[in-house]
Amino acid sequence: MNKYCKIVILKDDIYDSFIYKKRLYIVTLQKQIIPIDWVEFIKSITPQRNAFPFVVSFTRSDVLYSPQYKIFINDTILRNDLIDSFSALRNLEFSFDSQKLSKFVPPENLWRRIEELPRDIKCAFNQFYLINDNYVAVSKIKYGSTKSRQCLLSPFYCFAKGNFTSMEFVGRDIFFSSQEKGVYMSAYVDEGQYSKELEVVSNHHASYLTNNFSSLTIGSYFKESHILSTVKDAKYSNRTFDSKSLNELFKCNRYDLIFSFHDKIYCANGNTIKMIRYTNKGRKFSNVIEIPIHLNINDKPLSAEVAVFGLIIEFKNKIIVFPSTEDETISIGNENDSIIGWRIFPHSKDYKNQLHVIFKNRIEIWSFNYDYFINQFEKKIGSRNTNYNKP
Amino acid sequence: MSYPFDTPIHTNLGYSYTFVSYHHIKSNPNKSLWVLNQADELQMFLDTIIVNNIVFTETSSFGFNIICNNSQLEIVGHTYTGLPLFIGKFIKKNTCTDWHGYPGNHVANSQDIPPDAILENWISQGVSLRDIKRIKKGKQL
């Protein structure tokens, strides 16, 4: 049985959202970033019954893997109680308008104003990273901080937080590269400061980037997708990569969608999903495993991500969550209520179980809570939670 | 009415426009192909000029346009291999007076992603925010 619950915040003109270190950030079409004190907000709405699973659902996703709480997973009786209390939250929906949230939002002069609607946002190393048309804007995360500096003056498509202290970018120099070639770039953070040097590590076209520990998957939706496996990763600045075509590994068409995170790489088309397990050490790939799911959607997957709680695949008018328990899928959005965007937070410590879905008039924050109870080393759907130890 | 290929014609707005043959007849694997007929292609160009969705650079001028019905973008062309394309892109070099156009591939070529100001115009024309975000990110629609 799927166990999920959600919080709905009613607000028009939401462009994007991000959750990081106890705050939810809402980016509006009016080019503002509104911070919400998420932990205090959750405290204020936590029900008296099932308070613990509620807090785990929305603010402490990985707490059950910490030494003091592991007993909840390992002890059969406690575990069953916990499953029951997560089940009690199932399908719960909490709805709030901006007014009800106002107590948890600082005054407007402390909201951050941005110059343009960003292509992508990340929060990492206590900083905001905004990919704009021609540069990356970096600024400190704190109330009232308005200064941002432009760095990496180059057009980028997307970026990902690297495994340790790096941010990795996919970009293309539109003025110097040839029409068909993309340039993959990696930049390094050294004690909080950006190295101005960009290392070009691949010239495959790419508009999708994720990491498999210290290796990287780059995907194009247009050309072949590749994995750049680290051959030597003792120091990031000395990394060397071995590039392998994922389309060849999957024996798939170059228009099939390839997506990955950490230990698993997936390939989806309108009918099937296939998976390869990847081990960074020794750069090993398992055989191709067919996932026993039949999409039968007759629609092309447009984009997808891998979370610990499962796979999220976006189609034209909806996204579908394939739970790591291999239970029934969850469909979000439809033709009349279309989705503007969505996000997961796979690098996060406290929000790994969340999926944020933005609609025209609201943001839905979904929390999925079934993944704690399955063997992370054996599951086929979703990435392994790295905090999980073998039983 | 059909127009000659690769020869500039004069439009009623005073601009000259060339229908490029390789964007209509499948011949070059690196070139995208219009699904619009010549009259619709020309109208799309003239609409671009009228609403001023034009960017000027030191060497060239670029125009971008879409066809949007009920918030849905219509296909204006496709790649040589058949992937649908939704953006009409029009170019004029500053050294000449002729414009020409082709279906832009925002997934493969970042220079086919319109600048922010034009994307914001498209939001007010009714293009969904989802499509705007995906175009900005170079993702397929």
Side-chain angles (χ1 to χ4, degrees), chain A residues 15 31 116-117 119 157 172 174 179 205 255 300 302-303 314 339, chain B residues 81 83 105 107-111 113 116 120 130 133-134 136-137 140:
Chain A
Y15 176 78
K31 298 178 185 165
E116 49 189 274
L117 295 172
R119 279 187 187 170
Y157 274 134
R172 274 184 76 224
I174 58 173
Q179 281 240 330
H205 175 269
Y255 302 122
K300 205 176 153 214
L302 294 174
S303 54
E314 179 177 4
I339 291 165
Chain B
T81 52
L83 288 181
N105 186 348
V107 179
N109 306 314
S110 64
Q111 64 269 40
I113 299 176
D116 250 26
E120 283 177 28
R130 170 193 176 275
K133 284 176 83 167
R134 294 189 71 87
K136 263 173 98 81
K137 287 184 177 183
Q140 59 183 329

PDB file of all heavy atoms in Angstrom, chain A residues 15 31 116-117 119 157 172 174 179 205 255 300 302-303 314 339, chain B residues 81 83 105 107-111 113 116 120 130 133-134 136-137 140:
ATOM      1  N   TYR A  15       6.763  30.196 -10.004  1.00  0.00           N
ATOM      2  CA  TYR A  15       7.604  29.801 -11.133  1.00  0.00           C
ATOM      3  C   TYR A  15       8.445  28.571 -10.782  1.00  0.00           C
ATOM      4  O   TYR A  15       8.628  27.679 -11.587  1.00  0.00           O
ATOM      5  CB  TYR A  15       8.509  30.978 -11.508  1.00  0.00           C
ATOM      6  CG  TYR A  15       9.498  30.681 -12.603  1.00  0.00           C
ATOM      7  CD1 TYR A  15       9.097  30.655 -13.931  1.00  0.00           C
ATOM      8  CD2 TYR A  15      10.840  30.430 -12.314  1.00  0.00           C
ATOM      9  CE1 TYR A  15      10.007  30.387 -14.942  1.00  0.00           C
ATOM     10  CE2 TYR A  15      11.748  30.160 -13.318  1.00  0.00           C
ATOM     11  CZ  TYR A  15      11.330  30.144 -14.635  1.00  0.00           C
ATOM     12  OH  TYR A  15      12.226  29.869 -15.635  1.00  0.00           O
ATOM     13  N   LYS A  31       9.610  37.739 -10.130  1.00  0.00           N
ATOM     14  CA  LYS A  31      11.062  37.718  -9.913  1.00  0.00           C
ATOM     15  C   LYS A  31      11.426  37.991  -8.450  1.00  0.00           C
ATOM     16  O   LYS A  31      12.267  38.834  -8.147  1.00  0.00           O
ATOM     17  CB  LYS A  31      11.763  38.703 -10.853  1.00  0.00           C
ATOM     18  CG  LYS A  31      11.560  38.352 -12.321  1.00  0.00           C
ATOM     19  CD  LYS A  31      12.206  39.340 -13.233  1.00  0.00           C
ATOM     20  CE  LYS A  31      11.859  39.002 -14.674  1.00  0.00           C
ATOM     21  NZ  LYS A  31      12.133  40.054 -15.597  1.00  0.00           N
ATOM     22  N   GLU A 116      16.404  37.924 -13.488  1.00  0.00           N
ATOM     23  CA  GLU A 116      15.629  37.243 -14.518  1.00  0.00           C
ATOM     24  C   GLU A 116      15.125  35.909 -13.983  1.00  0.00           C
ATOM     25  O   GLU A 116      15.623  35.416 -12.971  1.00  0.00           O
ATOM     26  CB  GLU A 116      16.448  37.045 -15.797  1.00  0.00           C
ATOM     27  CG  GLU A 116      17.812  36.457 -15.583  1.00  0.00           C
ATOM     28  CD  GLU A 116      18.663  36.497 -16.862  1.00  0.00           C
ATOM     29  OE1 GLU A 116      18.537  35.559 -17.655  1.00  0.00           O
ATOM     30  OE2 GLU A 116      19.444  37.442 -17.040  1.00  0.00           O
ATOM     31  N   LEU A 117      14.129  35.368 -14.649  1.00  0.00           N
ATOM     32  CA  LEU A 117      13.622  34.052 -14.242  1.00  0.00           C
ATOM     33  C   LEU A 117      14.672  33.018 -14.621  1.00  0.00           C
ATOM     34  O   LEU A 117      15.038  32.906 -15.788  1.00  0.00           O
ATOM     35  CB  LEU A 117      12.287  33.765 -14.927  1.00  0.00           C
ATOM     36  CG  LEU A 117      11.149  34.690 -14.514  1.00  0.00           C
ATOM     37  CD1 LEU A 117       9.918  34.475 -15.383  1.00  0.00           C
ATOM     38  CD2 LEU A 117      10.780  34.507 -13.042  1.00  0.00           C
ATOM     39  N   ARG A 119      16.975  29.674 -15.437  1.00  0.00           N
ATOM     40  CA  ARG A 119      16.792  28.378 -16.104  1.00  0.00           C
ATOM     41  C   ARG A 119      16.749  27.277 -15.069  1.00  0.00           C
ATOM     42  O   ARG A 119      16.032  26.313 -15.201  1.00  0.00           O
ATOM     43  CB  ARG A 119      17.975  28.092 -17.037  1.00  0.00           C
ATOM     44  CG  ARG A 119      17.857  28.772 -18.342  1.00  0.00           C
ATOM     45  CD  ARG A 119      18.962  28.317 -19.278  1.00  0.00           C
ATOM     46  NE  ARG A 119      18.866  29.146 -20.471  1.00  0.00           N
ATOM     47  CZ  ARG A 119      19.756  29.185 -21.418  1.00  0.00           C
ATOM     48  NH1 ARG A 119      20.836  28.447 -21.335  1.00  0.00           N
ATOM     49  NH2 ARG A 119      19.578  29.947 -22.466  1.00  0.00           N
ATOM     50  N   TYR A 157      23.047  25.115 -19.580  1.00  0.00           N
ATOM     51  CA  TYR A 157      21.717  24.515 -19.613  1.00  0.00           C
ATOM     52  C   TYR A 157      21.257  24.136 -18.214  1.00  0.00           C
ATOM     53  O   TYR A 157      20.151  24.380 -17.817  1.00  0.00           O
ATOM     54  CB  TYR A 157      21.739  23.246 -20.450  1.00  0.00           C
ATOM     55  CG  TYR A 157      21.533  23.445 -21.917  1.00  0.00           C
ATOM     56  CD1 TYR A 157      22.352  22.808 -22.834  1.00  0.00           C
ATOM     57  CD2 TYR A 157      20.488  24.224 -22.405  1.00  0.00           C
ATOM     58  CE1 TYR A 157      22.167  22.955 -24.190  1.00  0.00           C
ATOM     59  CE2 TYR A 157      20.305  24.375 -23.752  1.00  0.00           C
ATOM     60  CZ  TYR A 157      21.145  23.735 -24.650  1.00  0.00           C
ATOM     61  OH  TYR A 157      20.952  23.878 -25.978  1.00  0.00           O
ATOM     62  N   ARG A 172      27.052  25.330 -23.151  1.00  0.00           N
ATOM     63  CA  ARG A 172      27.521  25.374 -24.535  1.00  0.00           C
ATOM     64  C   ARG A 172      27.955  26.793 -24.813  1.00  0.00           C
ATOM     65  O   ARG A 172      27.262  27.731 -24.464  1.00  0.00           O
ATOM     66  CB  ARG A 172      26.407  25.021 -25.516  1.00  0.00           C
ATOM     67  CG  ARG A 172      26.260  23.568 -25.737  1.00  0.00           C
ATOM     68  CD  ARG A 172      25.220  23.351 -26.788  1.00  0.00           C
ATOM     69  NE  ARG A 172      25.742  23.651 -28.103  1.00  0.00           N
ATOM     70  CZ  ARG A 172      25.080  24.334 -28.996  1.00  0.00           C
ATOM     71  NH1 ARG A 172      23.930  24.848 -28.718  1.00  0.00           N
ATOM     72  NH2 ARG A 172      25.579  24.535 -30.179  1.00  0.00           N
ATOM     73  N   ILE A 174      27.861  29.332 -27.140  1.00  0.00           N
ATOM     74  CA  ILE A 174      27.102  29.472 -28.384  1.00  0.00           C
ATOM     75  C   ILE A 174      27.866  30.226 -29.453  1.00  0.00           C
ATOM     76  O   ILE A 174      27.533  30.171 -30.604  1.00  0.00           O
ATOM     77  CB  ILE A 174      25.727  30.143 -28.161  1.00  0.00           C
ATOM     78  CG1 ILE A 174      25.904  31.506 -27.529  1.00  0.00           C
ATOM     79  CG2 ILE A 174      24.817  29.270 -27.351  1.00  0.00           C
ATOM     80  CD1 ILE A 174      24.604  32.275 -27.437  1.00  0.00           C
ATOM     81  N   GLN A 179      27.900  24.034 -34.435  1.00  0.00           N
ATOM     82  CA  GLN A 179      26.444  23.913 -34.243  1.00  0.00           C
ATOM     83  C   GLN A 179      26.017  22.697 -33.437  1.00  0.00           C
ATOM     84  O   GLN A 179      25.168  22.788 -32.581  1.00  0.00           O
ATOM     85  CB  GLN A 179      25.785  23.837 -35.617  1.00  0.00           C
ATOM     86  CG  GLN A 179      25.653  25.167 -36.295  1.00  0.00           C
ATOM     87  CD  GLN A 179      24.208  25.480 -36.575  1.00  0.00           C
ATOM     88  OE1 GLN A 179      23.432  24.557 -36.778  1.00  0.00           O
ATOM     89  NE2 GLN A 179      23.849  26.739 -36.571  1.00  0.00           N
ATOM     90  N   HIS A 205      26.952  16.672 -26.630  1.00  0.00           N
ATOM     91  CA  HIS A 205      25.837  17.579 -26.397  1.00  0.00           C
ATOM     92  C   HIS A 205      25.055  17.086 -25.185  1.00  0.00           C
ATOM     93  O   HIS A 205      24.836  15.882 -25.031  1.00  0.00           O
ATOM     94  CB  HIS A 205      24.909  17.615 -27.613  1.00  0.00           C
ATOM     95  CG  HIS A 205      23.684  18.440 -27.382  1.00  0.00           C
ATOM     96  ND1 HIS A 205      22.532  17.897 -26.884  1.00  0.00           N
ATOM     97  CD2 HIS A 205      23.458  19.761 -27.520  1.00  0.00           C
ATOM     98  CE1 HIS A 205      21.637  18.857 -26.745  1.00  0.00           C
ATOM     99  NE2 HIS A 205      22.169  19.992 -27.128  1.00  0.00           N
ATOM    100  N   TYR A 255      16.567   8.268 -28.932  1.00  0.00           N
ATOM    101  CA  TYR A 255      15.486   9.131 -28.454  1.00  0.00           C
ATOM    102  C   TYR A 255      14.814   8.576 -27.190  1.00  0.00           C
ATOM    103  O   TYR A 255      13.932   9.207 -26.626  1.00  0.00           O
ATOM    104  CB  TYR A 255      14.435   9.368 -29.548  1.00  0.00           C
ATOM    105  CG  TYR A 255      15.050   9.978 -30.781  1.00  0.00           C
ATOM    106  CD1 TYR A 255      14.957   9.346 -32.014  1.00  0.00           C
ATOM    107  CD2 TYR A 255      15.763  11.175 -30.697  1.00  0.00           C
ATOM    108  CE1 TYR A 255      15.553   9.897 -33.132  1.00  0.00           C
ATOM    109  CE2 TYR A 255      16.355  11.725 -31.814  1.00  0.00           C
ATOM    110  CZ  TYR A 255      16.253  11.088 -33.033  1.00  0.00           C
ATOM    111  OH  TYR A 255      16.847  11.633 -34.125  1.00  0.00           O
ATOM    112  N   LYS A 300       5.092   9.793 -25.052  1.00  0.00           N
ATOM    113  CA  LYS A 300       6.549   9.775 -24.928  1.00  0.00           C
ATOM    114  C   LYS A 300       6.965  10.388 -23.589  1.00  0.00           C
ATOM    115  O   LYS A 300       6.515  11.477 -23.254  1.00  0.00           O
ATOM    116  CB  LYS A 300       7.103  10.612 -26.070  1.00  0.00           C
ATOM    117  CG  LYS A 300       8.477  10.270 -26.471  1.00  0.00           C
ATOM    118  CD  LYS A 300       8.861  11.093 -27.675  1.00  0.00           C
ATOM    119  CE  LYS A 300      10.364  11.238 -27.649  1.00  0.00           C
ATOM    120  NZ  LYS A 300      10.839  12.475 -28.145  1.00  0.00           N
ATOM    121  N   LEU A 302       8.981  12.673 -21.334  1.00  0.00           N
ATOM    122  CA  LEU A 302       9.706  13.890 -21.702  1.00  0.00           C
ATOM    123  C   LEU A 302      10.899  14.151 -20.795  1.00  0.00           C
ATOM    124  O   LEU A 302      11.913  14.653 -21.231  1.00  0.00           O
ATOM    125  CB  LEU A 302       8.758  15.093 -21.645  1.00  0.00           C
ATOM    126  CG  LEU A 302       7.638  15.087 -22.664  1.00  0.00           C
ATOM    127  CD1 LEU A 302       6.684  16.242 -22.426  1.00  0.00           C
ATOM    128  CD2 LEU A 302       8.209  15.170 -24.073  1.00  0.00           C
ATOM    129  N   SER A 303      10.726  13.861 -19.527  1.00  0.00           N
ATOM    130  CA  SER A 303      11.866  13.972 -18.631  1.00  0.00           C
ATOM    131  C   SER A 303      11.608  13.091 -17.418  1.00  0.00           C
ATOM    132  O   SER A 303      10.465  12.683 -17.176  1.00  0.00           O
ATOM    133  CB  SER A 303      12.123  15.415 -18.209  1.00  0.00           C
ATOM    134  OG  SER A 303      10.981  15.987 -17.665  1.00  0.00           O
ATOM    135  N   GLU A 314       7.905  12.342 -16.387  1.00  0.00           N
ATOM    136  CA  GLU A 314       6.987  13.379 -16.857  1.00  0.00           C
ATOM    137  C   GLU A 314       6.537  13.083 -18.285  1.00  0.00           C
ATOM    138  O   GLU A 314       7.355  12.775 -19.145  1.00  0.00           O
ATOM    139  CB  GLU A 314       7.685  14.740 -16.819  1.00  0.00           C
ATOM    140  CG  GLU A 314       6.793  15.860 -17.316  1.00  0.00           C
ATOM    141  CD  GLU A 314       7.439  17.246 -17.229  1.00  0.00           C
ATOM    142  OE1 GLU A 314       8.615  17.339 -16.849  1.00  0.00           O
ATOM    143  OE2 GLU A 314       6.736  18.216 -17.557  1.00  0.00           O
ATOM    144  N   ILE A 339       0.729  20.747 -15.152  1.00  0.00           N
ATOM    145  CA  ILE A 339       1.860  20.966 -14.256  1.00  0.00           C
ATOM    146  C   ILE A 339       2.837  21.942 -14.897  1.00  0.00           C
ATOM    147  O   ILE A 339       3.183  21.813 -16.067  1.00  0.00           O
ATOM    148  CB  ILE A 339       2.546  19.608 -13.987  1.00  0.00           C
ATOM    149  CG1 ILE A 339       1.615  18.729 -13.147  1.00  0.00           C
ATOM    150  CG2 ILE A 339       3.888  19.786 -13.304  1.00  0.00           C
ATOM    151  CD1 ILE A 339       2.009  17.283 -13.126  1.00  0.00           C
TER     152      ILE A 339
ATOM    153  N   THR B  81      15.408  14.021 -38.825  1.00  0.00           N
ATOM    154  CA  THR B  81      15.002  12.689 -38.368  1.00  0.00           C
ATOM    155  C   THR B  81      13.560  12.646 -37.857  1.00  0.00           C
ATOM    156  O   THR B  81      13.098  11.622 -37.372  1.00  0.00           O
ATOM    157  CB  THR B  81      15.934  12.193 -37.245  1.00  0.00           C
ATOM    158  OG1 THR B  81      16.004  13.208 -36.250  1.00  0.00           O
ATOM    159  CG2 THR B  81      17.316  11.863 -37.749  1.00  0.00           C
ATOM    160  N   LEU B  83      11.952  14.759 -35.412  1.00  0.00           N
ATOM    161  CA  LEU B  83      11.538  15.290 -34.113  1.00  0.00           C
ATOM    162  C   LEU B  83      10.784  16.605 -34.311  1.00  0.00           C
ATOM    163  O   LEU B  83      11.221  17.453 -35.091  1.00  0.00           O
ATOM    164  CB  LEU B  83      12.763  15.556 -33.228  1.00  0.00           C
ATOM    165  CG  LEU B  83      13.507  14.357 -32.671  1.00  0.00           C
ATOM    166  CD1 LEU B  83      14.673  14.826 -31.807  1.00  0.00           C
ATOM    167  CD2 LEU B  83      12.590  13.482 -31.844  1.00  0.00           C
ATOM    168  N   ASN B 105      15.613  24.560 -33.340  1.00  0.00           N
ATOM    169  CA  ASN B 105      15.675  23.370 -32.487  1.00  0.00           C
ATOM    170  C   ASN B 105      16.277  23.769 -31.144  1.00  0.00           C
ATOM    171  O   ASN B 105      17.489  23.762 -30.958  1.00  0.00           O
ATOM    172  CB  ASN B 105      16.530  22.297 -33.182  1.00  0.00           C
ATOM    173  CG  ASN B 105      16.527  20.992 -32.431  1.00  0.00           C
ATOM    174  OD1 ASN B 105      16.081  20.918 -31.283  1.00  0.00           O
ATOM    175  ND2 ASN B 105      17.019  19.945 -33.067  1.00  0.00           N
ATOM    176  N   VAL B 107      16.257  22.285 -28.434  1.00  0.00           N
ATOM    177  CA  VAL B 107      16.837  21.171 -27.678  1.00  0.00           C
ATOM    178  C   VAL B 107      18.306  20.979 -28.066  1.00  0.00           C
ATOM    179  O   VAL B 107      19.171  20.773 -27.225  1.00  0.00           O
ATOM    180  CB  VAL B 107      16.044  19.869 -27.922  1.00  0.00           C
ATOM    181  CG1 VAL B 107      16.655  18.709 -27.157  1.00  0.00           C
ATOM    182  CG2 VAL B 107      14.597  20.056 -27.537  1.00  0.00           C
ATOM    183  N   ALA B 108      18.568  21.091 -29.354  1.00  0.00           N
ATOM    184  CA  ALA B 108      19.918  20.805 -29.824  1.00  0.00           C
ATOM    185  C   ALA B 108      20.810  22.036 -29.853  1.00  0.00           C
ATOM    186  O   ALA B 108      22.016  21.923 -29.699  1.00  0.00           O
ATOM    187  CB  ALA B 108      19.853  20.199 -31.221  1.00  0.00           C
ATOM    188  N   ASN B 109      20.215  23.205 -30.078  1.00  0.00           N
ATOM    189  CA  ASN B 109      21.039  24.396 -30.282  1.00  0.00           C
ATOM    190  C   ASN B 109      20.621  25.495 -29.318  1.00  0.00           C
ATOM    191  O   ASN B 109      19.515  26.022 -29.421  1.00  0.00           O
ATOM    192  CB  ASN B 109      20.862  24.917 -31.715  1.00  0.00           C
ATOM    193  CG  ASN B 109      21.131  23.833 -32.734  1.00  0.00           C
ATOM    194  OD1 ASN B 109      22.109  23.116 -32.636  1.00  0.00           O
ATOM    195  ND2 ASN B 109      20.229  23.701 -33.690  1.00  0.00           N
ATOM    196  N   SER B 110      21.531  25.862 -28.429  1.00  0.00           N
ATOM    197  CA  SER B 110      21.129  26.868 -27.437  1.00  0.00           C
ATOM    198  C   SER B 110      20.892  28.227 -28.084  1.00  0.00           C
ATOM    199  O   SER B 110      20.178  29.057 -27.540  1.00  0.00           O
ATOM    200  CB  SER B 110      22.140  26.962 -26.299  1.00  0.00           C
ATOM    201  OG  SER B 110      23.359  27.412 -26.796  1.00  0.00           O
ATOM    202  N   GLN B 111      21.475  28.463 -29.262  1.00  0.00           N
ATOM    203  CA  GLN B 111      21.210  29.748 -29.915  1.00  0.00           C
ATOM    204  C   GLN B 111      19.778  29.822 -30.461  1.00  0.00           C
ATOM    205  O   GLN B 111      19.324  30.882 -30.871  1.00  0.00           O
ATOM    206  CB  GLN B 111      22.235  30.056 -31.019  1.00  0.00           C
ATOM    207  CG  GLN B 111      22.228  29.119 -32.193  1.00  0.00           C
ATOM    208  CD  GLN B 111      23.183  27.949 -32.007  1.00  0.00           C
ATOM    209  OE1 GLN B 111      23.298  27.398 -30.922  1.00  0.00           O
ATOM    210  NE2 GLN B 111      23.847  27.564 -33.083  1.00  0.00           N
ATOM    211  N   ILE B 113      17.278  29.113 -28.501  1.00  0.00           N
ATOM    212  CA  ILE B 113      16.459  29.456 -27.329  1.00  0.00           C
ATOM    213  C   ILE B 113      16.300  30.971 -27.319  1.00  0.00           C
ATOM    214  O   ILE B 113      17.295  31.696 -27.257  1.00  0.00           O
ATOM    215  CB  ILE B 113      17.123  28.987 -26.018  1.00  0.00           C
ATOM    216  CG1 ILE B 113      17.284  27.465 -26.017  1.00  0.00           C
ATOM    217  CG2 ILE B 113      16.317  29.448 -24.808  1.00  0.00           C
ATOM    218  CD1 ILE B 113      18.019  26.905 -24.813  1.00  0.00           C
ATOM    219  N   ASP B 116      15.171  36.032 -22.775  1.00  0.00           N
ATOM    220  CA  ASP B 116      14.118  36.178 -21.762  1.00  0.00           C
ATOM    221  C   ASP B 116      12.996  37.133 -22.153  1.00  0.00           C
ATOM    222  O   ASP B 116      11.825  36.848 -21.919  1.00  0.00           O
ATOM    223  CB  ASP B 116      14.750  36.691 -20.468  1.00  0.00           C
ATOM    224  CG  ASP B 116      14.740  35.633 -19.408  1.00  0.00           C
ATOM    225  OD1 ASP B 116      14.732  34.451 -19.788  1.00  0.00           O
ATOM    226  OD2 ASP B 116      14.721  35.985 -18.222  1.00  0.00           O
ATOM    227  N   GLU B 120       9.111  36.194 -22.178  1.00  0.00           N
ATOM    228  CA  GLU B 120       8.102  36.864 -21.336  1.00  0.00           C
ATOM    229  C   GLU B 120       6.939  37.377 -22.181  1.00  0.00           C
ATOM    230  O   GLU B 120       5.787  37.323 -21.762  1.00  0.00           O
ATOM    231  CB  GLU B 120       8.754  37.987 -20.523  1.00  0.00           C
ATOM    232  CG  GLU B 120       9.529  37.423 -19.335  1.00  0.00           C
ATOM    233  CD  GLU B 120      10.255  38.465 -18.516  1.00  0.00           C
ATOM    234  OE1 GLU B 120       9.811  39.620 -18.481  1.00  0.00           O
ATOM    235  OE2 GLU B 120      11.287  38.106 -17.921  1.00  0.00           O
ATOM    236  N   ARG B 130       4.894  26.129 -18.275  1.00  0.00           N
ATOM    237  CA  ARG B 130       5.616  24.854 -18.393  1.00  0.00           C
ATOM    238  C   ARG B 130       6.457  24.846 -19.674  1.00  0.00           C
ATOM    239  O   ARG B 130       7.630  24.496 -19.651  1.00  0.00           O
ATOM    240  CB  ARG B 130       4.596  23.710 -18.435  1.00  0.00           C
ATOM    241  CG  ARG B 130       5.189  22.372 -18.787  1.00  0.00           C
ATOM    242  CD  ARG B 130       4.102  21.367 -19.116  1.00  0.00           C
ATOM    243  NE  ARG B 130       4.670  20.106 -19.552  1.00  0.00           N
ATOM    244  CZ  ARG B 130       5.035  19.843 -20.804  1.00  0.00           C
ATOM    245  NH1 ARG B 130       4.894  20.738 -21.756  1.00  0.00           N
ATOM    246  NH2 ARG B 130       5.556  18.669 -21.112  1.00  0.00           N
ATOM    247  N   LYS B 133       9.408  27.226 -19.455  1.00  0.00           N
ATOM    248  CA  LYS B 133      10.502  26.689 -18.636  1.00  0.00           C
ATOM    249  C   LYS B 133      11.282  25.628 -19.396  1.00  0.00           C
ATOM    250  O   LYS B 133      12.500  25.563 -19.326  1.00  0.00           O
ATOM    251  CB  LYS B 133       9.942  26.092 -17.339  1.00  0.00           C
ATOM    252  CG  LYS B 133       9.551  27.143 -16.323  1.00  0.00           C
ATOM    253  CD  LYS B 133       8.928  26.537 -15.102  1.00  0.00           C
ATOM    254  CE  LYS B 133       9.945  26.043 -14.124  1.00  0.00           C
ATOM    255  NZ  LYS B 133       9.331  25.735 -12.814  1.00  0.00           N
ATOM    256  N   ARG B 134      10.556  24.792 -20.116  1.00  0.00           N
ATOM    257  CA  ARG B 134      11.234  23.711 -20.838  1.00  0.00           C
ATOM    258  C   ARG B 134      12.060  24.264 -22.003  1.00  0.00           C
ATOM    259  O   ARG B 134      13.126  23.753 -22.309  1.00  0.00           O
ATOM    260  CB  ARG B 134      10.233  22.656 -21.299  1.00  0.00           C
ATOM    261  CG  ARG B 134       9.589  21.920 -20.130  1.00  0.00           C
ATOM    262  CD  ARG B 134       8.768  20.734 -20.583  1.00  0.00           C
ATOM    263  NE  ARG B 134       9.602  19.657 -21.058  1.00  0.00           N
ATOM    264  CZ  ARG B 134      10.137  18.709 -20.284  1.00  0.00           C
ATOM    265  NH1 ARG B 134       9.883  18.699 -19.005  1.00  0.00           N
ATOM    266  NH2 ARG B 134      10.895  17.769 -20.796  1.00  0.00           N
ATOM    267  N   LYS B 136      13.476  27.224 -22.062  1.00  0.00           N
ATOM    268  CA  LYS B 136      14.644  27.845 -21.429  1.00  0.00           C
ATOM    269  C   LYS B 136      15.714  26.812 -21.074  1.00  0.00           C
ATOM    270  O   LYS B 136      16.893  27.074 -21.160  1.00  0.00           O
ATOM    271  CB  LYS B 136      14.210  28.534 -20.126  1.00  0.00           C
ATOM    272  CG  LYS B 136      13.946  30.010 -20.252  1.00  0.00           C
ATOM    273  CD  LYS B 136      13.369  30.537 -18.962  1.00  0.00           C
ATOM    274  CE  LYS B 136      14.400  31.180 -18.084  1.00  0.00           C
ATOM    275  NZ  LYS B 136      14.737  32.541 -18.438  1.00  0.00           N
ATOM    276  N   LYS B 137      15.245  25.632 -20.641  1.00  0.00           N
ATOM    277  CA  LYS B 137      16.188  24.601 -20.209  1.00  0.00           C
ATOM    278  C   LYS B 137      16.683  23.731 -21.359  1.00  0.00           C
ATOM    279  O   LYS B 137      17.436  22.786 -21.148  1.00  0.00           O
ATOM    280  CB  LYS B 137      15.531  23.688 -19.170  1.00  0.00           C
ATOM    281  CG  LYS B 137      15.356  24.353 -17.832  1.00  0.00           C
ATOM    282  CD  LYS B 137      14.807  23.360 -16.848  1.00  0.00           C
ATOM    283  CE  LYS B 137      14.693  23.980 -15.473  1.00  0.00           C
ATOM    284  NZ  LYS B 137      14.223  23.034 -14.478  1.00  0.00           N
ATOM    285  N   GLN B 140      12.856  18.974 -24.393  1.00  0.00           N
ATOM    286  CA  GLN B 140      11.827  18.761 -25.415  1.00  0.00           C
ATOM    287  C   GLN B 140      10.433  19.060 -24.876  1.00  0.00           C
ATOM    288  O   GLN B 140      10.167  18.918 -23.686  1.00  0.00           O
ATOM    289  CB  GLN B 140      11.908  17.349 -25.960  1.00  0.00           C
ATOM    290  CG  GLN B 140      11.739  16.278 -24.906  1.00  0.00           C
ATOM    291  CD  GLN B 140      11.895  14.889 -25.479  1.00  0.00           C
ATOM    292  OE1 GLN B 140      11.577  14.656 -26.626  1.00  0.00           O
ATOM    293  NE2 GLN B 140      12.396  13.975 -24.673  1.00  0.00           N
TER     294      GLN B 140
END
